[in-house]
């Protein structure tokens, strides 16, 4: 059973960089054929795809967030990491990490993913 767990600060100040880590257990992030994604859901809104990293380390980002987003990985710890710079209160959301077998860039529900974490609330406020 693959499990994903998000971790990181719950409160970030405007203009700072948000960093979240997704720790994966029960499967390797280097196993061929999967996409490891970050998704968020702002309050009262639908899912917003942020980006993904592939099993060979390639990345793809949402055009609207690309200039502020970086996704990397630490294969020794079986983790992938999100960095979102210059945050504003509009970046307040529940952030999820997830795995899929196909590239998903317009998610409707988390059930489209093979596995996903429980989510972590991030609030941007001074």
């Amino acid at each position: 059973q693959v499990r994903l767990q998000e971790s990181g600060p719950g409160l970030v100040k405007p203009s700072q960089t948000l960093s979240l880590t997704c720790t994966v257990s029960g499967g390797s992030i280097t196993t061929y054929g999967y996409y490891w994604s970050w998704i968020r859901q702002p309050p009262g809104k639908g899912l917003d795809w942020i980006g993904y990293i592939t099993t060979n380390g390639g990345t793809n980002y949402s055009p609207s967030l690309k200039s502020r987003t970086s996704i990397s990985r630490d294969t020794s710890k079986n983790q992938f990491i999100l960095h979102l710079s210059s945050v504003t209160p509009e970046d307040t959301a529940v952030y999820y990490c997830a795995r899929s077998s196909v590239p998903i860039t317009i998610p409707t529900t988390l059930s489209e993913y093979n596995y996903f974490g429980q989510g972590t609330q991030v609030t941007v406020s001074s």
Side-chain angles (χ1 to χ4, degrees), residues 2-8 20-26 29 36-38 77-81 95-99 115-121:
V2 176
R3 294 187 177 182
L4 296 89
Q5 178 67 58
E6 305 89 352
S7 61
L20 296 175
T21 298
C22 183
T23 301
V24 179
S25 60
I29 62 172
W36 301 91
S37 296
W38 285 99
K77 296 180 180 179
N78 215 34
Q79 297 173 333
F80 60 107
I81 303 103
Y95 284 74
Y96 299 92
C97 57
R99 191 196 86 173
Y115 300 97
F116 52 89
Q118 64 183 20
T120 186
Q121 172 70 47

Side-chain angles (χ1 to χ4, degrees), residues 3 83 112:
R3 294 187 177 182
H83 295 292
E112 297 176 42

Side-chain angles (χ1 to χ4, degrees), residues 4-60:
L4 296 89
Q5 178 67 58
E6 305 89 352
S7 61
L11 180 64
V12 183
K13 293 183 178 180
S15 81
Q16 291 186 339
T17 295
L18 165 65
S19 297
L20 296 175
T21 298
C22 183
T23 301
V24 179
S25 60
S28 172
I29 62 172
T30 60
T31 299
Y32 178 78
Y34 295 117
Y35 299 81
W36 301 91
S37 296
W38 285 99
I39 311 107
R40 66 185 184 179
Q41 186 165 26
K45 297 184 179 180
L47 295 178
D48 185 24
W49 173 67
I50 301 170
Y52 60 68
I53 187 166
T54 66
T55 52
N56 65 1
T59 55
N60 189 22

